[in-house]
Amino acid sequence: MSDDDAADAASGSGRSVPVGVKLGSTRTVIALPDDHGTENRIIKTLTCMATYEDALTGEEKVLYGEEAAREYPDRVQYMLRSGLPEDGDRAEMTKKFFEALIEENDIPADSGVVYAIPTIDNPAGLDNLRAVIEESSIGLNLVESYPESLCGSIPAFGEDLEAIDEIFISVNMGSTNLEASAYRRGEQLAPFTTGAVTGNEVDRMIANYVEEETQGRVNVDTQTAREYKEEHADFVEFEPFTDIIQQPGGGTHEFTIERSVMDAVDEYLDDAVDELANTFLPELANDYMKVYQLALDRPIVLTGGMACIPGIVEEFEARLSEELNREIEATAAEQPDVAPTVGAQRIAARLVENS
């Protein structure tokens, strides 16, 4: 179903609005038809919140996203750092965050919502996330969830839902996990997850490498390291960059980063290829040999925030091809970090249309 069809479903026809949602460990993304019905409206924010007391009424107020991170860095909460709300307190924080996001952006309650869900073996965390989803004020007409790696692959295959009819491998390069799955006409096979190779670990590595590269003169936090990664990491044409920090005793210090960012992302990609080539793919071949053979003849789809680094798709192709000693092709949607939400919204549009 095209975006235009999805918008028609959301118009005055009486059908519920199709909405795609990804509650991510770093960012939450929501996709729904825009007011004109011509394309998706994308809402994207940091998955964090802070509460404060209204100075006049004493009422508790909620700030979320970039505003919370900027104004309350001392007590902002990133409640999905592990990918899921780990306990009741984090589940309640996630509910507050999600409701504030829904209210501020006027997400309609009369909606059919599909959530892109990570593949994580954590029943308690998944139950907490399910509670957040089911108790939200949207999705009164339909609530479904699909694997994030499947949703993220849909935009990479075309303008519709072609991925549902394909046999392929998807690799989700997320902040908290590296996930891989084979898909056979929408059926998830041999799901694999590891927390040993993550975007968050890259941020920590960058922070450590910056300290080493500057001989201990500069210490940056992981948020700054993430910003360096997102703004400067590039496998095609990385260029050294400068930044300025405030010195504790007064004054400023300007420094240049030449190696830290690319050393970290280069190690990440080597580790990701190693996990896929030596753990995931052998398990897939052992359990589903024919699917393994068919899937490797087709492009491997990369999704997630790390897949946004320029040149990583081509570099992944080259390194995995060398590791497997066979030609491998890879692909990604234009915006791999937004792709799971867009894919979820397309599924929601189809479900709404068929309901």
Side-chain angles (χ1 to χ4, degrees):
M1 186 178 191
S2 68
D3 289 342
D4 288 344
D5 292 333
D8 289 341
S11 65
S13 62
R15 292 177 181 166
S16 57
V17 177
V19 178
V21 177
K22 176 197 166 188
L23 285 161
S25 57
T26 299
R27 288 186 174 84
T28 287
V29 187
I30 300 176
L32 69 162
D34 67 9
D35 293 338
H36 304 291
T38 55
E39 58 184 28
N40 270 339
R41 172 187 169 208
I42 303 293
I43 300 158
K44 185 177 178 182
T45 186
L46 287 175
T47 307
C48 63
M49 62 165 282
T51 59
Y52 66 97
E53 188 177 282
D54 187 288
L56 298 180
T57 67
E59 179 185 358
E60 183 184 72
K61 298 281 191 177
V62 175
L63 278 182
Y64 69 86
E66 285 76 5
E67 191 175 24
R70 182 176 62 252
E71 296 186 16
Y72 290 91
D74 53 325
R75 64 174 188 258
V76 67
Q77 296 283 336
Y78 290 83
M79 49 280 182
L80 298 179
R81 275 300 196 208
S82 69
L84 296 169
E86 291 291 338
D87 51 37
D89 288 343
R90 292 193 178 277
E92 286 303 315
M93 282 192 289
T94 306
K95 289 176 188 177
K96 285 184 180 181
F97 159 79
F98 196 33
E99 284 305 314
L101 181 62
I102 289 168
E103 182 178 351
E104 183 164 323
N105 290 281
D106 296 320
I107 311 300
D110 181 20
S111 51
V113 184
V114 168
Y115 291 83
I117 302 296
T119 302
I120 301 177
D121 184 17
N122 181 342
L126 288 169
D127 284 344
N128 286 334
L129 182 61
R130 192 172 297 112
V132 171
I133 291 168
E134 292 175 352
E135 295 172 22
S136 79
S137 60
I138 61 174
L140 296 185
N141 295 304
L142 179 148
V143 175
E144 296 285 353
S145 62
Y146 287 81
E148 181 180 335
S149 55
L150 174 62
C151 294
S153 299
I154 287 172
F157 275 92
E159 297 299 318
D160 204 339
L161 293 172
E162 295 94 333
I164 303 296
D165 295 321
E166 293 282 348
I167 295 175
F168 66 95
I169 290 168
S170 177
V171 177
N172 182 24
M173 297 176 157
S175 295
T176 55
N177 287 289
L178 175 73
E179 301 174 16
S181 294
Y183 287 96
R184 178 175 57 192
R185 301 189 180 280
E187 177 189 9
Q188 188 179 34
L189 304 175
F192 166 80
T193 304
T194 177
V197 186
T198 71
N200 287 343
E201 181 59 26
V202 172
D203 302 337
R204 287 188 284 270
M205 289 167 61
I206 290 173
N208 290 336
Y209 289 167
V210 166
E211 183 177 3
E212 291 177 12
E213 186 174 346
T214 60
Q215 288 81 48
R217 293 191 299 273
V218 175
N219 291 279
V220 298
D221 58 24
T222 54
Q223 177 63 31
T224 301
R226 178 179 295 113
E227 291 169 3
Y228 287 170
K229 176 184 70 182
E230 293 177 350
E231 294 173 15
H232 300 286
D234 191 327
F235 281 99
V236 180
E237 46 186 23
F238 171 79
E239 294 184 359
F241 61 95
T242 60
D243 200 359
I244 299 173
I245 59 169
Q246 191 72 31
Q247 298 279 45
T252 60
H253 174 64
E254 181 176 298
F255 59 97
T256 299
I257 297 302
E258 295 185 352
R259 305 183 309 275
S260 300
V261 170
M262 290 311 298
D263 282 353
V265 297
D266 191 64
E267 288 180 34
Y268 166 88
L269 188 54
D270 274 344
D271 291 342
V273 167
D274 181 67
E275 289 283 354
L276 295 169
N278 297 305
T279 304
F280 167 66
L281 288 174
E283 291 176 1
L284 175 63
N286 185 62
D287 295 338
Y288 302 96
M289 175 54 76
K290 194 60 179 177
V291 171
Y292 168 85
Q293 292 170 337
L294 291 170
L296 286 186
D297 285 336
R298 294 166 190 181
I300 295 175
V301 182
L302 305 185
T303 70
M306 292 296 293
C308 295
I309 297 174
I312 197 170
V313 173
E314 295 78 12
E315 197 64 28
F316 174 87
E317 280 183 347
R319 297 189 194 190
L320 188 57
S321 295
E322 182 178 1
E323 187 73 20
L324 298 179
N325 196 29
R326 62 175 290 172
E327 197 68 27
I328 295 295
E329 184 181 353
T331 189
E334 187 174 341
Q335 294 179 284
D337 55 337
V338 175
T341 313
V342 172
Q345 196 274 337
R346 290 188 195 172
I347 294 173
R350 178 66 60 84
L351 295 177
V352 164
E353 181 184 39
N354 292 339
S355 65

